[in-house]
Amino acid sequence: MKNSRQILINLERLQLKMEAYGVDAVVARAGVNFAYLSGVTYPGTLARHLDLADSPRGTYLIWPHRGEPRIVLNAIAEGVTRRDSWVELIDVYEGYVEPPVERLAKVIADMGLSAATVGFERNYISAEDWDSLHSHIPAMRMVDSTTLMDEVRAIKTPAEIELLRRGANILDEAYAKVFRTIRPGLRERDVHAQIISECIVRGCEFVHGILNSHRNTIPYAGESDFVFAGGDAVRTDYVAYLKGYPGHQSRCAVIGKATDEQRRQYGVVRDLYRASMAQCRVGNTAGQVYEFVVERFAAAGMKYNSMLAGHSVGCWWHQQEPIISRGNPRRLEAGMVIAMEPHVNHWHIQDMIVIREDGPQLLSDKFSTDEFFVCG
């Protein structure tokens, strides 16, 4: 691998997990694993070809337990991959002519893995490609590596944490700047466009999220021509990717003069949120944290209906295991980064925290959540 590139991945944990699961190699096809193992975050169309399992220009990475990793890709993805990846061995096939999985089979054989145990993402490799690989390399034992890779990615390296911190700072800087401009008469899409623009200008490659008035009761339907009015509470939930790693926070605002009732409601949710965040400690299960959230909200007279109260974050896609959800047995470990977001209605506060042996550590402190932001 290139000595000139800082390798972000947890190499020691990857090797240990491969040994524990008894695999000689893992093949990455899903964006979360390919981006993680390759160091490449494809833009635009190249990203869609990585995400769509039936793409005729699919991209693969083979990481052996011993030896150098190799990438299989189409010619259009070659330039950015050679520039950005720490992986040096690249095999190029002709898209729309040669089926990607056939070149993958050839490379696996060339790497001496024809009779090995190789892990594939069973939740991502199509049934057709799975059968094709089996027919081309019948002696290869194909196993599911989805959980293996989830467990590897869950513990962040210091370099990953620093990227997450930088992304979080960019997003909070964008919130602070744009919130100052919100006035009655602006549409949701006007303000949403400003948030996206500020993050891109500050260095992010890709940004998505929501920004709605509390009077718009379908918050995840996309920003629209809905017009803000004085007294509106503003709900947000954004993800800003910096070199593939997400800044991911949610901030609250009120347009114009806030009421005492709005301040009271926010204070109640804020205190419950902080108490819940403090439960993200080494040894607790994700399910236990979720149950704490449900119980504390119920004690405050509020029914908690959300299917999750938080989630881990990582390269390429922000919602990763462990998910803070009902009954999830996954135990929290030191080095995990969790985005906690227990909320009711439009009072949606969210921060990323690093789980340390002595408790959770906030990643970004550039935007205080002590009170909501007052616009205007």
Side-chain angles (χ1 to χ4, degrees):
M1 290 184 285
K2 297 177 186 175
N3 293 327
S4 60
R5 289 280 294 161
Q6 181 187 36
I7 299 175
L8 301 177
I9 59 181
N10 197 329
L11 286 171
E12 181 180 1
R13 189 172 173 89
L14 175 61
Q15 293 297 310
L16 289 173
K17 289 295 180 181
M18 290 175 71
E19 291 170 6
Y21 279 84
V23 300
D24 301 300
V26 291
V27 174
R29 175 67 178 86
V32 290
N33 292 324
F34 181 88
Y36 180 77
L37 292 177
S38 70
V40 180
T41 54
Y42 289 128
T45 300
L46 292 181
R48 298 309 306 274
H49 281 296
L50 184 58
D51 285 334
L52 298 174
D54 63 346
S55 168
R57 284 165 44 191
T59 306
Y60 298 88
L61 187 148
I62 307 101
W63 195 289
H65 186 252
R66 294 181 179 82
E68 287 291 306
R70 287 169 71 168
I71 291 174
V72 176
L73 48 66
N74 64 88
I76 298 176
E78 182 180 4
V80 67
T81 307
R82 291 195 183 279
R83 184 192 71 187
D84 293 348
S85 181
W86 43 67
V87 177
E88 295 183 283
L89 302 178
I90 296 176
D91 294 82
V92 182
Y93 65 87
E94 186 177 358
Y96 305 108
V97 175
E98 180 183 5
V101 73
E102 291 187 6
R103 178 59 68 91
L104 172 64
K106 181 179 184 303
V107 171
I108 289 173
D110 290 345
M111 293 174 70
L113 297 168
S114 295
T117 299
V118 179
F120 297 85
E121 305 132 332
R122 192 145 199 168
N123 66 342
Y124 201 86
I125 298 288
S126 70
E128 181 179 4
D129 284 350
W130 188 278
D131 290 344
S132 179
L133 283 165
H134 181 67
S135 66
H136 281 85
I137 321 176
M140 179 176 63
R141 181 170 176 257
M142 299 172 63
V143 299
D144 185 18
S145 59
T146 304
T147 301
L148 182 162
M149 288 305 303
D150 283 349
E151 292 176 357
V152 171
R153 296 193 320 272
I155 307 300
K156 303 299 184 283
T157 63
E160 288 183 284
I161 290 172
E162 181 55 30
L163 266 180
L164 290 166
R165 188 191 317 278
R166 287 170 55 194
N169 287 341
I170 287 174
L171 181 54
D172 271 345
E173 289 166 359
Y175 277 137
K177 182 174 181 179
V178 174
F179 276 6
R180 295 188 187 99
T181 71
I182 303 178
R183 298 290 186 275
L186 288 177
R187 301 171 302 172
E188 288 177 345
R189 69 170 73 250
D190 298 324
V191 184
H192 174 69
Q194 290 182 59
I195 294 281
I196 300 294
S197 175
E198 283 296 327
C199 292
I200 296 293
V201 166
R202 294 167 190 267
C204 293
E205 316 87 46
F206 175 53
V207 188
H208 62 85
I210 67 162
L211 184 142
N212 298 112
S213 161
H214 78 284
R215 294 179 296 114
N216 185 345
T217 57
I218 310 179
Y220 285 92
E223 286 56 49
S224 67
D225 291 326
F226 194 99
V227 176
F228 283 112
D232 277 4
V234 181
R235 178 188 178 185
T236 65
D237 185 9
Y238 279 91
V239 190
Y241 292 90
L242 178 67
K243 297 185 178 178
Y245 283 81
H248 185 30
Q249 299 97 260
S250 301
R251 305 301 185 214
C252 302
V254 171
I255 301 174
K257 184 175 176 59
T259 67
D260 290 342
E261 179 59 16
Q262 286 175 322
R263 295 188 185 280
R264 186 197 70 78
Q265 290 176 5
Y266 181 84
V268 170
V269 173
R270 176 204 59 212
D271 292 347
L272 292 172
Y273 160 75
R274 290 179 175 175
S276 302
M277 190 160 59
Q279 295 300 304
C280 293
R281 307 185 71 89
V282 173
N284 283 348
T285 68
Q288 286 173 333
V289 178
Y290 182 85
E291 288 306 319
F292 178 89
V293 169
V294 173
E295 291 168 5
R296 288 299 294 266
F297 273 78
M302 291 178 282
K303 186 175 182 180
Y304 192 78
N305 294 315
S306 177
M307 69 186 76
L308 54 79
H311 51 81
S312 183
V313 296
C315 185
W316 193 258
W317 170 240
H318 65 293
Q319 285 191 10
Q320 300 191 22
E321 281 288 349
I323 305 294
I324 309 300
S325 57
R326 189 183 312 280
N328 189 343
R330 193 70 187 279
R331 292 204 176 273
L332 304 184
E333 302 176 63
M336 288 181 173
V337 175
I338 304 292
M340 280 298 289
E341 53 177 335
H343 65 277
V344 169
N345 300 324
H346 51 277
W347 301 122
H348 191 160
I349 314 169
Q350 179 172 209
D351 281 290
M352 295 190 296
I353 52 176
V354 187
I355 297 178
R356 304 293 191 189
E357 292 290 351
D358 57 353
Q361 176 188 20
L362 191 66
L363 262 182
S364 174
D365 58 1
K366 281 186 170 291
F367 194 112
S368 173
T369 58
D370 290 345
E371 303 288 343
F372 50 67
F373 193 98
V374 177
C375 307

